[in-house]
Amino acid sequence: MAKPTSRFVCQACGAVTAKWAGKCETCGEWNTIAEEAAEARPGPARRPGAKLLVETLAGSAEPPPRRQIGIAELDRVLGGGLVAASAVLVGGDPGIGKSTLLLQAAASLARAGSRVLYVSGEEAADQIRLRARRLGLESAPMQLAATINVRDIATALEAERDLALVVIDSIQTMWLDSVESAPGTVTQVRASAFELIRIAKQRGFSLALVGHVTKEGTLAGPRVLEHMVDAVLHFEGDRGHQFRILRAAKNRYGATYEIGVFEMSDRGLSDVANPSALFLAERRGHIAGSAVFAGLEGTRPVLLEIQALLAANPGGSPRRSVVGWDGSRLAMLLAVLDARCDLKLSGLDVYLNVAGGLRISEPAADLAVAAALISAVTGRPTHAGAVYFGEVGLSGEVRQVAQTAARLKEAAKLGFERAVLPRRVARGSGSVGAEGLRTDEIGHLADLVAQFPPV
Ligand SMILES: Nc1ncnc2c1ncn2[C@@H]1O[C@H](COP(=O)(O)OP(=O)(O)OP(=O)(O)O)[C@@H](O)[C@H]1O
Ligand SMILES: [Mg+2]
Ligand SMILES: [Zn+2]
């Protein structure tokens, strides 16, 4: 039988099928299946397997050595710096600032005396030099190469000593000559990444891979890569805003809940040490439908504005439009407000927005969202100096959340004078929270509704 010369590979998940289909049966994505050259079949084993070396769990083990990059927000997300002999994937939308971030990281390490290689398969060396000049990094003693050839890179890396960091921008442009598929295909991306990661583990340097994310999945999304690397960072942000969020989706050497906050300017990305001030910068008080949430991102408290807009529905099923929060969580909250507080919102169009473009996943946001909704429906602004946090249960009860003290402290630091929060079980003397903040403890959502008397 003739050997097949091509096969069909889903560019999103890497599943292989015998023939083309519009939808991938494995991951359910549409229009992701592309024809690729067949992989060479492995021949019969040339030698029997060697005896496997097994070890016990007990034994001496050191935590992995870390190298601080010198960009505080990046070091924070990585879990305290770069780990030697590890691979990190940085994904993000086109133009979000991936190359900028990694160039700054590379330059920072280089200036601190580490050996760094920056390989670009997307831009010519001149383009990178221009960016470096704009960012004021042109004097950083780092090595630069513009190539897509993994074989050439591998040869160069094998000859290197004491490399600290290698940046590959981007993995989708890399090409390994032993694989017939075109750059950007799943097969090629996987083979190139495998080769580069292998060398990183062997030589002990940190490898940073830039990965593109496209909604259509036409390029091999980082999904196939996610399993191969030690950490996956997502670089997010709203193009209309100056700030960017770096979030860990996976980290074999650290927690995944920390976020890094940066501000983007023509001089590059700078650390934002106090995100609350940034997120609240555009807030205008005394508007109905707005409430400030005292949230927690990783170990850091962050204040955010939640905005709700209600509109009469002309007929048909009402719209629920949510940006930055969970749609099903909103549906639950609306049902609870209806059933337990007799607040009729179900016939109205509801638009909910977390101002600034950050995504909240904490249930503690329930109370702030509820405050924004109640404020919108009553037409009464929330207290301008108040923050809200607490989880809401199905019977309308307001539940405790973690880190009350940290949230109150952040609110006080930013000049807030009042906090609406869940009733605390063990109360100390008085209900004064941190730094003179007036705390208003409530046990049921109806107590919150009572704070907005009808006009
Ligand atoms: N001359 C400039 N002045 C100010 N800001 C600039 C300038 N050039 C680029 N930027 C900013 O940098 C961003 C692009 O950054 P960068 O090239 O690092 O993104 P990227 O994620 O690597 O993009 P790509 O996916 O195209 O590789 C732009 O969106 C813009 O905000
Ligand atoms: Mg780029
Ligand atoms: Zn698939």
Side-chain angles (χ1 to χ4, degrees):
M1 206 180 89
K3 233 174 68 176
T5 52
S6 67
R7 56 187 197 146
F8 296 86
V9 184
C10 171
Q11 302 299 306
C13 71
V16 180
T17 53
K19 56 181 202 299
W20 190 86
K23 183 184 177 185
C24 171
E25 290 299 329
T26 308
C27 70
E29 292 276 341
W30 285 89
N31 299 321
T32 54
I33 298 191
E35 188 171 359
E36 290 190 16
E39 269 175 349
R41 275 166 203 279
R46 271 185 224 127
R47 60 173 183 86
K51 190 170 185 300
L52 195 63
L53 182 69
V54 293
E55 298 180 49
T56 58
L57 273 178
S60 64
E62 296 281 308
R66 284 190 190 269
R67 189 179 262 115
Q68 296 246 319
I69 296 170
I71 299 177
E73 296 293 298
L74 182 55
D75 283 327
R76 167 199 289 274
V77 175
L78 286 167
L82 277 173
V83 175
S86 76
V88 46
L89 175 69
V90 180
D93 287 337
I96 202 76
K98 302 179 292 295
S99 303
T100 306
L101 178 68
L102 288 168
L103 189 67
Q104 287 184 234
S108 177
L109 275 173
R111 279 183 169 160
S114 300
R115 275 183 76 76
V116 176
L117 172 65
Y118 186 103
V119 182
S120 179
E122 302 202 329
E123 295 167 295
D126 271 342
Q127 263 176 295
I128 300 163
R129 267 185 222 113
L130 278 176
R131 177 181 291 125
R133 195 172 310 150
R134 174 163 58 83
L135 304 177
L137 302 173
E138 69 270 40
S139 65
M142 55 189 266
Q143 295 172 281
L144 192 62
T147 180
I148 63 166
N149 193 321
V150 175
R151 187 75 57 205
D152 294 351
I153 300 169
T155 306
L157 293 179
E158 302 278 7
E160 278 284 348
R161 295 200 154 267
D162 305 323
L163 260 178
L165 172 68
V166 175
V167 177
I168 303 289
D169 186 3
S170 67
I171 188 63
Q172 271 89 11
T173 56
M174 292 296 129
W175 177 74
L176 191 60
D177 53 8
S178 58
V179 178
E180 278 183 45
S181 307
T185 58
V186 162
T187 315
Q188 192 56 262
V189 166
R190 196 161 36 191
S192 300
F194 185 84
E195 179 65 4
L196 292 164
I197 293 169
R198 183 188 65 78
I199 303 170
K201 302 267 169 190
Q202 187 195 16
R203 313 290 298 189
F205 58 83
S206 306
L207 178 69
L209 303 172
V210 172
H212 287 290
V213 194
T214 62
K215 293 219 167 55
E216 299 75 29
T218 45
L219 276 178
R223 258 182 287 167
V224 279
L225 285 170
E226 280 176 3
H227 305 289
M228 303 172 66
V229 297
D230 299 298
V232 179
L233 309 183
H234 286 295
F235 205 34
E236 307 167 351
D238 197 349
R239 210 69 69 77
H241 287 95
Q242 290 308 301
F243 62 84
R244 303 282 183 270
I245 308 286
L246 190 65
R247 207 183 273 281
K250 154 178 172 173
N251 193 350
R252 284 183 183 148
Y253 299 108
T256 52
Y257 52 69
E258 290 288 359
I259 62 165
V261 185
F262 299 91
E263 194 169 359
M264 171 70 101
S265 72
D266 57 346
R267 305 278 299 161
L269 295 154
S270 41
D271 287 327
V272 175
N274 186 355
S276 302
L278 183 71
F279 292 137
L280 294 179
E282 287 162 26
R283 191 172 72 100
R284 294 190 293 154
H286 294 288
I287 291 176
S290 151
V292 176
F293 168 49
L296 211 61
E297 284 288 348
T299 52
R300 177 164 54 181
V302 176
L303 302 190
L304 297 161
E305 183 192 1
I306 294 184
Q307 302 171 327
L309 180 70
L310 306 174
N313 182 266
S317 55
R319 267 187 80 108
R320 300 282 180 258
S321 172
V322 189
V323 178
W325 205 49
D326 183 19
S328 53
R329 199 92 202 154
L330 173 65
M332 184 214 77
L333 209 53
L334 291 172
V336 173
L337 283 168
D338 187 315
R340 311 290 178 203
C341 307
D342 206 27
L343 214 59
K344 299 300 175 204
L345 298 164
S346 55
L348 299 171
D349 285 344
V350 179
Y351 299 88
L352 193 83
N353 179 35
V354 177
L358 198 75
R359 238 203 105 69
I360 305 177
S361 51
E362 254 197 304
D366 291 353
L367 201 63
V369 173
L373 288 169
I374 299 166
S375 165
V377 75
T378 57
R380 294 191 158 249
T382 56
H383 190 291
V387 298
Y388 297 80
F389 62 90
E391 186 180 344
V392 174
L394 283 181
S395 65
E397 83 277 16
V398 178
R399 300 177 171 195
Q400 297 275 335
V401 293
Q403 302 276 0
T404 295
R407 296 174 203 266
L408 293 177
K409 205 167 158 208
E410 179 77 358
K413 195 170 98 189
L414 278 129
F416 286 84
E417 50 206 45
R418 185 175 164 186
V420 181
L421 70 166
R423 181 164 295 150
R424 282 178 277 188
V425 197
R427 286 171 70 168
S429 52
S431 62
V432 175
E435 281 115 286
L437 208 69
R438 208 185 113 202
T439 55
D440 191 355
E441 302 185 10
I442 60 174
H444 195 275
L445 210 46
D447 304 339
L448 182 66
V449 176
Q451 295 184 356
F452 298 83
V455 195

